[in-house]
Amino acid sequence: MSDVTDVLKQYSEDVVKTIEENLSVIEPQDLQDACLYLTKAGGKMLRPALTLISAEAVGGNKEDALKTAAALELIHTFSLIHDDIMDDDDMRRGMPSVHKVWDEPVAILAGDTLFSKAFEMVIASKEENAHPANVANALATVADACVKICEGQASDMSFEGNFDVKEDEYSEMIFKKTGALIAAATKAGAIMGGGDDEAVHALYEYGRMIGTAFQIQDDYLDVISDEKDLGKPVGSDIAKGKMTLMVVKALAESEGEDHDRLLEILKDDDCSQESIDEAIDLFNKYGSIEYAYNLALENIDCSKKVLEILPDSEAKQLLIALADFVIDRSS
């Protein structure tokens, strides 16, 4: 695990530098500070690392994909800022959220600025002799992911208070909300690295599957981790009545008193820790925790299989290690 963390840190250094250089021109200073706040707070930098490694995995140079990698991190940061506003979340990466440090109007503007800067940075790849067709395709990939993120967030919001959500509806939502940007990262990296259509498609599928597993693992960690590792109270999704894969599965499998009690807990706006623990017991009773973990693991296994068409390389091995990291992480 530490090796993968070291790899992410190594690849993130150039990305952070590129982001800071491109955001240093933003005025006024408060807006610039708000834009850079979450980047300086740290984070896994998984998406830009995947972009750079994907470029290398198809035989390209990571430098050709650097601005696109930075752009994808900006899109991710933009989505976090706006998500925190919509969810009224006070903390992000162990620090107060952007809208808590400044205010909602500044946070919204920071998100909008990052969104705009992301497209500007992909286009700027042309200045470094990137092939115009590759830049256009990478730009289209990023734009498509942005639409899917918004669709996924809208679906997630529509699920609030709707306890009839089916598993296929939930799966579509998490792909759009989380998986789409990770799939865009690997696809755009392959494009900027000059990969052929087969390699680009394979890396998109790889990103789609590890992205799906990433969100399922987040849901899973919410009920099996301790608060110190998780960085937030265990069972916070249950307390908020969120529809996760485990909730969807447990509601589908349970009946009678168990079904009614689970619904009662999820609908409780003042859910106690005792009730959260009771819900987790029901998840275990109906096998939904194990089901979620196994589905995430299945996605990881399949993601590694699609990489078989790529030539052996250090970058390919890194992609395999990063897939395992998604399922093995504790936060």
Side-chain angles (χ1 to χ4, degrees):
M1 184 68 70
S2 60
D3 290 344
V4 173
T5 304
D6 289 343
V7 167
L8 291 173
K9 184 177 179 182
Q10 175 191 336
Y11 276 89
S12 72
E13 289 175 356
D14 287 341
V15 173
V16 171
K17 183 180 177 181
T18 301
I19 288 172
E20 290 179 345
E21 287 174 352
N22 279 267
L23 299 188
S24 65
V25 299
I26 294 171
E27 295 179 349
Q29 190 64 45
D30 263 6
L31 179 60
Q32 182 185 139
D33 292 343
C35 287
L36 284 167
Y37 179 74
L38 288 182
T39 297
K40 291 181 175 180
K44 298 180 184 70
M45 290 278 177
L46 177 63
R47 292 154 191 82
L50 284 167
T51 304
L52 299 178
I53 297 168
S54 296
E56 293 179 322
V58 298
N61 298 315
K62 67 177 183 179
E63 290 77 14
D64 295 336
L66 183 56
K67 280 191 166 67
T68 299
L72 284 152
E73 183 63 17
L74 293 188
I75 293 294
H76 177 54
T77 307
F78 138 77
S79 71
L80 297 181
I81 292 172
H82 282 200
D83 278 359
D84 287 344
I85 294 169
M86 285 184 277
D87 297 340
D88 197 25
D89 284 338
D90 293 346
M91 302 293 291
R92 172 67 65 177
R93 294 176 178 168
M95 297 170 62
S97 303
V98 173
H99 69 282
K100 294 297 181 181
V101 177
W102 288 272
D103 55 27
E104 285 192 10
V106 171
I108 291 169
L109 287 172
D112 292 347
T113 302
L114 292 171
F115 182 83
S116 303
K117 276 286 182 181
F119 290 96
E120 180 183 277
M121 288 176 71
V122 177
I123 294 169
S125 299
K126 290 192 295 185
E127 298 168 8
E128 296 169 1
N129 299 318
H131 194 286
N134 291 345
V135 174
N137 287 337
L139 194 63
T141 299
V142 174
D144 178 66
C146 290
V147 173
K148 285 185 169 62
I149 290 169
C150 295
E151 291 175 341
Q153 178 68 11
S155 293
D156 194 21
M157 291 166 60
S158 74
F159 290 170
E160 293 177 10
N162 175 12
F163 299 103
D164 294 322
V165 175
K166 302 296 185 290
E167 185 175 336
D168 59 343
E169 295 173 320
Y170 174 80
S171 297
E172 178 74 5
M173 182 274 289
I174 63 169
F175 162 64
K176 288 182 173 181
K177 187 173 178 181
T178 303
L181 191 60
I182 293 177
T186 51
K187 180 180 179 180
I191 291 169
M192 296 304 290
D196 61 25
D197 289 347
E198 187 179 23
V200 169
H201 177 71
L203 279 158
Y204 178 80
E205 286 299 303
Y206 164 85
R208 178 183 67 80
M209 287 184 279
I210 69 166
T212 297
F214 190 96
Q215 184 59 56
I216 295 173
Q217 184 72 353
D218 263 6
D219 295 347
Y220 172 80
L221 290 172
D222 185 66
V223 299
I224 63 94
S225 299
D226 60 50
E227 187 169 341
K228 182 179 178 182
D229 285 338
L230 198 59
K232 61 180 180 178
V234 174
S236 61
D237 288 345
I238 297 169
K240 293 177 181 177
K242 288 189 68 174
M243 292 302 286
T244 66
L245 180 60
M246 286 164 293
V247 171
V248 171
K249 185 67 174 176
L251 287 174
E253 296 294 328
S254 62
E255 55 186 20
E257 291 182 3
D258 285 348
H259 185 87
D260 293 343
R261 178 56 183 150
L262 183 55
L263 279 176
E264 184 180 3
I265 294 169
L266 293 168
K267 291 177 180 178
D268 187 355
D269 292 332
D270 192 24
C271 195
S272 68
Q273 188 59 51
E274 183 179 2
S275 293
I276 290 171
D277 292 341
E278 190 179 347
I280 293 172
D281 287 341
L282 289 169
F283 290 168
N284 277 312
K285 180 177 180 179
Y286 290 98
S288 65
I289 295 177
E290 182 181 10
Y291 178 80
Y293 179 79
N294 287 338
L295 186 58
L297 190 60
E298 180 183 325
N299 272 278
I300 294 301
D301 289 342
C302 290
S303 76
K304 291 187 284 190
K305 286 179 183 176
V306 302
L307 298 178
E308 291 175 0
I309 70 156
L310 299 178
D312 288 334
S313 66
E314 183 179 348
K316 179 179 176 179
Q317 293 308 311
L318 284 176
L319 290 173
I320 292 169
L322 283 167
D324 289 331
F325 168 76
V326 166
I327 200 74
D328 291 335
R329 65 197 169 91
S330 59
S331 63

